[in-house]
């Protein structure tokens, strides 16, 4: 596997959380880049047999959330260090301090 031999009985860890941060698939995978193209990420189980049946609803909900938020705030900017969740299952931001100025 990728130039390494896995011998019978050896354990292999499945590192799910790294899937969308694979440097062989994405340039600067740790960088948030909303304009990334192509962007063959695996969120919502894309590329697998259990693709999220309601990812379109979930995307709509997030779009409406940000559209409504954008109407109510005048600025939003980082206000401290972001912290990633320590997990081999879910890749997520645990803390992201923000300074939000309301209109
Ligand atoms: C931001 C919100 C959501 C995220 C991040 C998300 C993520 C996912 C992921 C990663 C999977 C694949 C799991 C796997 O491979 O085993 C999945 C499957 C699924 N999701 Fe979502 N989901 C979201 C919202 C929703 C909503 C709103 C619904 C329903 C109203 C929904 C219904 C389902 C169903 C039924 C499956 C299983 C499909 C199958 O096994 O064939 N999801 N979701």
């Amino acid at each position: 596997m990728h130039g390494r031999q896995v011998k019978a009985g050896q354990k292999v860890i499945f590192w799910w959380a790294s899937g969308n941060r694979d440097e062989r698939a994405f340039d600067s995978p740790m960088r948030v880049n909303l304009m990334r193209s192509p962007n063959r990420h695996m969120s919502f189980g894309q590329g697998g047999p259990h693709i999220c049946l309601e990812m379109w609803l979930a995307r709509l909900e997030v779009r409406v959330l940000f559209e409504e938020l954008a109407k109510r705030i005048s600025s939003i900017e980082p206000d401290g260090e972001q912290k990633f969740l320590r997990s081999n299952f879910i890749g997520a931001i645990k803390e992201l301090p923000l300074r939000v100025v309301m209109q």
Side-chain angles (χ1 to χ4, degrees):
M1 178 182 263
H2 299 297
R4 306 229 175 175
Q5 190 177 17
V6 180
K7 295 182 182 152
Q10 275 190 324
K11 290 183 179 169
V12 176
I13 294 176
F14 177 63
W15 213 257
W16 191 322
S18 74
N20 279 342
R21 297 187 168 70
D22 185 345
E23 60 280 358
R24 290 169 306 172
F26 307 103
D27 290 333
S28 307
M30 293 303 287
R31 187 170 170 267
V32 175
N33 178 4
L34 302 182
M35 307 304 284
R36 200 185 294 277
S37 176
N39 188 8
R40 295 185 61 240
H41 63 78
M42 298 183 293
S43 301
F44 297 109
Q46 290 179 92
H50 294 283
I51 186 168
C52 179
L53 296 179
E54 287 302 339
M55 76 173 168
W56 294 274
L57 172 62
R59 283 175 161 163
L60 179 65
E61 288 175 346
V62 174
R63 178 188 296 266
V64 170
L65 170 75
F66 281 108
E67 282 173 356
E68 293 303 314
L69 192 62
K71 289 179 197 166
R72 290 164 172 76
I73 64 174
S74 57
S75 74
I76 183 167
E77 57 190 56
D79 190 27
E81 192 186 338
Q82 71 172 32
K83 290 189 184 146
F84 264 83
L85 182 69
R86 289 169 63 95
S87 165
N88 64 352
F89 184 59
I90 297 170
I93 292 172
K94 191 172 184 185
E95 287 179 32
L96 180 61
L98 298 172
R99 186 180 310 118
V100 178
V101 178
M102 304 302 289
Q103 283 181 348

